[in-house]
Amino acid sequence: MSVTIRQIHPVFVGEVAGVVCRRPLNAEDVAAIEAGMDEYGVLVFRDQNITDDEQITFTRHFGELETYRTAGHIRKREDQRLGPGIADFSNLDKHGNIMSDRDRVWFFKLGDRLWHSDSSFRPIPAKYSLLSGRVLPSWGANTEFADMRAAYDALDARTKAEIENLVCEHSLIYSREAIGFTHMTPEEIAAFRPVRQRLVRTHPVTGRKSLFLSSHAGAITGWTIPEARVFLRDLVEHATQREFVYSHAWRPYDLVMWDNRTTMHRARCFDRNEVRDVRRTTLAGDAPTIEQVA
């Protein structure tokens, strides 16, 4: 069966048929999925009951996995539930029990409910992310996506000219401060030092421009902090209007794949006394948005 994609949102998002993610893909399948990502920015694969190794193998059809030595700074390697190559976005501790609502890792995870783009706080931000829904709570826990291409297109000409060459500073410190997570160790502060990213990105394949926004962005080069944060908040409010947003209601074994270069996303609340086990693989980006300055 060949790969087919149907659009399920007026602006973006496609649902894929004809793909079994636990099986190897041929070159034509890979090309069709990549073309779908370029067009839609978010793809939904239904009924994909896969293992961690199968998810990693599927992800590697589209590039190299993102790896950073500082990836586990909040949750130490010895406290992690899953193996290398796959990130744990559950509410479970290393023993498979639901985390305490006083757990420092739980506090940190709450920052994922702010709009963001994965790894925008890295010198080279992520390309694709793939999230697999293994065990889902009985209500809530949607993941929302916003199309940053459509949001850019809808800006007036004056704003497009103003933002064209702006550079922002991104850090996990900024996003976690926004929810009151301010007690970081010196080692964490050093690991999360800000990196510089362009505010306007151009997609390397389609040539479409998009906004590169995130809760991790907390400064604009050459601007005062108050002006920068008010300006960025206004842009986020513009970019997350309902017409630009898709809310994914998870079904068991959904696999959702998105392009961090053209979308933002956020997690939504759920009953934290129920298990939510979702697991993410992330593809490394190709290059910095600008040359990084120490």
Side-chain angles (χ1 to χ4, degrees):
M1 182 178 179
S2 60
V3 176
T4 61
I5 303 174
R6 68 180 184 93
Q7 190 166 342
I8 58 174
H9 181 273
V11 176
F12 66 140
V13 188
E15 185 174 292
V16 182
V19 173
V20 178
C21 296
R22 67 176 180 270
R23 296 176 184 167
L25 300 179
N26 59 39
E28 291 76 16
D29 293 339
V30 172
I33 293 169
E34 288 182 329
M37 289 295 289
D38 292 342
E39 181 174 358
Y40 298 110
V42 180
L43 294 179
V44 177
F45 302 78
R46 300 287 191 185
D47 301 315
Q48 304 293 335
N49 187 357
I50 54 177
T51 66
D52 291 354
D53 286 343
E54 288 167 345
Q55 183 172 341
I56 290 169
T57 299
F58 178 79
T59 303
R60 283 183 167 146
H61 284 101
F62 308 98
E64 296 298 321
L65 294 180
E66 183 181 68
T67 55
Y68 283 93
R69 285 177 297 175
T70 60
H73 253 273
I74 294 295
R75 188 191 297 208
K76 306 301 182 187
R77 178 70 254 176
E78 61 269 22
D79 293 327
Q80 293 181 23
R81 189 172 63 101
L82 306 180
I86 194 155
D88 189 355
F89 281 82
S90 74
N91 60 339
L92 303 174
D93 63 21
K94 66 178 179 180
H95 303 295
N97 300 317
I98 293 175
M99 289 180 189
S100 164
D101 62 359
R102 296 293 185 268
D103 193 308
R104 193 166 183 266
V105 174
W106 172 251
F107 290 151
F108 195 81
K109 284 176 174 289
L110 289 174
D112 293 335
R113 298 187 188 178
L114 304 177
W115 287 108
H116 64 284
S117 176
D118 290 335
S119 295
S120 76
F121 53 87
R122 308 284 193 190
I124 300 178
K127 183 184 178 183
Y128 299 161
S129 295
L130 297 88
L131 192 64
S132 171
R134 309 294 178 83
V135 180
L136 305 173
S138 61
W139 71 273
N142 284 15
T143 302
E144 294 187 337
F145 298 91
D147 189 338
M148 298 293 97
R149 304 163 301 180
Y152 175 85
D153 291 344
L155 292 171
D156 60 86
R158 185 184 183 282
T159 302
K160 287 180 180 177
E162 182 178 18
I163 67 175
E164 179 64 25
N165 295 310
L166 292 183
V167 172
C168 298
E169 293 185 0
H170 291 236
S171 171
L172 281 169
I173 295 170
Y174 298 139
S175 57
R176 270 46 190 184
E177 281 180 348
I179 62 165
F181 188 103
T182 56
H183 299 293
M184 293 191 182
T185 67
E187 292 78 16
E188 289 164 352
I189 291 171
F192 302 151
R193 61 186 181 274
V195 300
R196 301 168 74 237
Q197 308 286 7
R198 291 194 179 278
L199 181 51
V200 178
R201 298 185 72 171
T202 301
H203 193 279
V205 177
T206 68
R208 286 189 70 180
K209 289 185 176 182
S210 62
L211 295 169
F212 193 32
L213 294 168
S214 179
S215 59
H216 308 316
I220 298 175
T221 301
W223 291 38
T224 65
I225 294 294
E227 280 195 306
R229 292 191 179 177
V230 168
F231 186 75
L232 290 171
R233 179 172 290 188
D234 284 347
L235 283 178
V236 170
E237 288 181 0
H238 162 78
T240 55
Q241 296 177 82
R242 284 296 102 183
E243 59 262 39
F244 305 137
V245 172
Y246 164 74
S247 184
H248 183 71
W250 288 87
R251 302 178 192 170
Y253 307 120
D254 279 352
L255 180 72
V256 180
M257 180 175 180
W258 65 89
D259 191 336
N260 289 290
R261 301 168 298 180
T262 61
T263 64
M264 276 200 304
H265 63 281
R266 65 176 180 175
R268 297 285 76 206
C269 64
F270 61 96
D271 185 343
R272 65 165 317 281
N273 295 307
E274 295 184 356
V275 173
R276 178 178 186 258
D277 187 352
V278 294
R279 308 181 186 194
R280 193 187 81 194
T281 41
T282 311
L283 283 177
D286 301 321
T289 60
I290 56 171
E291 290 301 318
Q292 298 297 309
V293 177

